[in-house]
Amino acid sequence: MKQCHISADGAATCPRSLDPGGSPGTLTINQLLLQSRIGLERVHASDLEREMAAGALVVDTRPVDQRDRDGDLPGAVVIDRNVLEWRLDPSSPHRLPIAGDPARRIVVVCNEGYSSSLAAHTLQRLGLTRATDLIGGFQAWAALRKQSG
């Protein structure tokens, strides 16, 4: 597998995939994920409560079946992934009232911390520059909570 490289100024360069299954000029999901995580100040599960106390908006994007199976994330706002950008973009007529401040810290949480990285990167591109995600997602948070007893 080809590797992405990060220059001294933080820019990522990822070779384009020429796999027979993909089109020339496309990225693999791993390359896209790496590019998306550049610029994210990702949050550890042990720091999530502190982030919330400091005013961060925590957004749970897990599907309803995962929330039903594993439980809720206390203090998080549930926003379906398919409408996330519309609900948080300060310029969107469909935004939630809690999304009016583009400088607010937003921590996106998915199940394992993959799709949340892609979502946080997209939010940053919409001007929500402090958007980030939870490393390991809900599962990391739940494991930490279980260890704490």
Side-chain angles (χ1 to χ4, degrees), residues 1-4 12 14-19 21-23 25-38 40 42 81 110 113-119 121-122:
M1 178 168 75
K2 295 180 181 179
Q3 298 292 318
C4 295
C14 296
R16 300 291 181 169
S17 171
L18 297 177
D19 293 344
S23 302
T26 61
L27 294 175
T28 66
I29 187 58
N30 289 332
Q31 291 168 332
L32 182 61
L33 185 62
L34 180 66
Q35 281 186 348
S36 295
R37 287 180 173 165
I38 295 169
L40 296 181
R42 301 183 78 213
R81 176 62 191 99
C110 67
Y114 295 100
S115 67
S116 58
S117 294
L118 300 172
H121 174 74
T122 301

Side-chain angles (χ1 to χ4, degrees), residues 49-58 98 104-106 130:
E49 190 173 313
R50 180 182 52 79
E51 291 279 347
M52 293 172 91
L57 174 63
V58 177
I98 57 174
R104 186 174 188 186
R105 176 82 150 166
I106 298 171
R130 297 188 63 215

Side-chain angles (χ1 to χ4, degrees), residues 91-105:
S91 70
S92 172
H94 305 288
R95 75 173 161 78
L96 297 174
I98 57 174
D101 181 5
R104 186 174 188 186
R105 176 82 150 166

Side-chain angles (χ1 to χ4, degrees), residues 56-120:
L57 174 63
V58 177
V59 178
D60 187 347
T61 62
R62 292 175 301 141
V64 67
D65 63 318
Q66 288 178 353
R67 293 193 315 271
D68 286 347
R69 180 190 68 209
D70 297 332
D72 292 326
L73 180 58
V77 174
V78 174
I79 302 176
D80 289 340
R81 176 62 191 99
N82 65 325
V83 295
L84 181 70
E85 291 82 0
W86 286 269
R87 298 299 184 258
L88 296 182
D89 178 359
S91 70
S92 172
H94 305 288
R95 75 173 161 78
L96 297 174
I98 57 174
D101 181 5
R104 186 174 188 186
R105 176 82 150 166
I106 298 171
V107 181
V108 181
V109 180
C110 67
N111 195 49
E112 294 183 343
Y114 295 100
S115 67
S116 58
S117 294
L118 300 172

